[in-house]
Amino acid sequence: MVPRLFAWLRQHQRFVDTLLMLPFLALAVLVRSRWIATTPDGITRSIPFLGNLALAVAMCLPLVWRRRWPRAVFAVIAAVAFVQWLVGVNISTCDFPLLVAMYTVAAQCAFRWALATLLVNFLGFVLAIGKLVGQPIPQDSWRALIPDSVGLSAIWLCGLYISTRRKYTLSLEERARRLERERDAQAEVAAAAERARIAREMHDVIAHSISVMVIQADGASYAIDTDTARAKRAMRAVGDTGRSALTEMRRMLGVLREGDGQAALAPQPGVDELPDLVEQIRSTGLPVELTIGGAKVPLPGGMELAIFRIAQEALTNVMKHAGPSATAKVELHYGDGAVELRIRDDGRGVTFSDGRGHGLVSMRERVAVYGGEVTAAPARGGGFEVVARMPVRESSARQEVGARERAERANR
């Protein structure tokens, strides 16, 4: 109830200010129905009730608009108070709207305006104590100025505190909105990166597996009448390739399912799976030679996956574009501070040398993640060559491999 009440009051500030104005107006009318005024020659006289009511209304009514025009409201109330001082009316409860207007200016306006309202009120106190210009001020009246000044300063400081607090709150809200926008932007970037990663993986798996399955199925259809055993082997290879593709697709799509932690923990193919990849390609009838040279160093899991996918994509392109009599060679070399993967064929691979296919784009994106570069171009003497080179920071790689081994031991 209380939060809803405060929310409703914040939405109806004009109503709240009207309620604030009514007590001051009632006090001015009820407490002193006939004000006493002192003329400059020392003669006292009473002010009619209508005059008192007019001054009270002129002092209190502007409070209704104090939030919208704080400086104008203070100026009007201060002017009415000065008129009241001119006719010799003493300070009364009807003068409290001047303090409320000063508080509003201090809470909503710049500091220079807040300071000006404070000085105006101090001047008003001095004039009220002195009664008339040129009349000597008694010592007791000066002592009365001290508590009035303390109260006036306290109200003014409260207004400044509210102003500072409001600015601080606004800055926090703006910062929260900015952080929320940045969070949403980062989430969109992360989602786009994840979609691109899944698209690359899906392309590599589907393109490679389907190409192998099509070649094996074509071979089986040609050999089924003349060599039944060979056709059976080809169809078994189709089944094995399809099952492997389904397994990889389940692993990749599993990360999109909520609560499927097993898919995220499944191992990704790496350098150790290159011989199996080459053997799978050989089963399609394409002669492939694998060479691994240099002193092997531990590689991050993502880099090993990139090497495997680049080799997979390049060999798939060889099967599709190099021609029936082509051969291929895969070389992986561990050098000084870098690892280099080279896939070369001697076929007619120039037909896909424009570099605009999704496979070649995927290669470049994978290598760029690790600060490397990839080239795909026709080779000298015929054929096509893909070269990927990625720098290796041995210390960070060892740390990642060590962390991965510790996680595997913990899972056991």
Side-chain angles (χ1 to χ4, degrees), residues 184-208:
D184 294 340
Q186 291 174 358
E188 292 178 1
V189 171
E194 184 65 13
R195 287 195 297 268
R197 185 190 70 82
I198 294 175
R200 289 196 302 267
E201 294 292 326
M202 292 291 292
H203 172 270
D204 293 341
V205 171
I206 293 175
H208 169 75

Side-chain angles (χ1 to χ4, degrees), residues 20 28 33 81 124 189 192 203 211 221 328 339 351 365 372 381 395:
L20 179 65
S33 60
V189 171
H203 172 270
S211 297
S221 64
V339 60
T351 56
E365 290 178 350
S395 59

Side-chain angles (χ1 to χ4, degrees), residues 269-277 292 296 304 308 332 334:
V271 175
D272 295 337
E273 282 71 32
L274 283 178
D276 296 335
L277 174 65
I292 299 178
K296 185 176 181 179
E304 289 200 14
F308 180 87
L332 179 64
Y334 296 92

Side-chain angles (χ1 to χ4, degrees), residues 214-228 230-231:
V214 168
I215 293 174
Q216 293 283 14
D218 289 342
S221 64
Y222 288 124
I224 193 170
D225 295 329
T226 58
D227 192 343
T228 306
R230 184 176 180 182

Side-chain angles (χ1 to χ4, degrees), residues 162-174:
I162 294 298
S163 176
T164 303
R165 186 72 179 177
R166 182 180 292 114
K167 293 176 182 177
Y168 176 70
T169 303
L170 291 176
S171 66
L172 290 181
E173 292 176 353
E174 176 61 28

